[in-house]
Amino acid sequence: GKEEVTKTHQACGTCGKTKPPSEFNRKSPRADGLQEVCRDCHRASSRAHYARNRERHVRVTAMREDAGRSLGS
């Protein structure tokens, strides 16, 4: 099985700040089981991506909902 790697702190790949593991989301394929970007940076990146692609996101979500309704009928 996988070895459990216990770290007391990790540096964020985006902001470079050293933070405890609780400040990072999980990513099971990595040896330490944590993402390389802290939650704050990940949240900021996700929100910026959504803001840049809002129209596409709304369109895709609407199509998905319409498809779900037609399957349920």
Side-chain angles (χ1 to χ4, degrees):
K2 272 190 177 175
E3 281 187 41
E4 184 66 30
V5 178
T6 308
K7 286 168 81 171
T8 56
H9 285 77
Q10 168 175 320
C12 171
T14 299
C15 67
K17 293 180 183 172
T18 301
K19 300 182 176 193
S22 61
E23 294 292 315
F24 293 83
N25 291 320
R26 297 186 63 185
K27 187 172 185 179
S28 58
R30 285 180 49 94
D32 62 4
L34 300 173
Q35 287 186 349
E36 48 282 322
V37 176
C38 72
R39 289 182 179 185
D40 291 338
C41 289
H42 185 263
R43 185 179 307 115
S45 172
S46 293
R47 289 184 176 176
H49 179 269
Y50 175 80
R52 288 190 308 270
N53 297 282
R54 185 180 184 283
E55 288 182 23
R56 180 182 182 280
H57 178 77
V58 169
R59 190 171 60 248
V60 168
T61 302
M63 286 172 35
R64 189 177 301 131
E65 287 174 358
D66 289 345
R69 277 193 210 98
S70 64
L71 289 173
S73 300

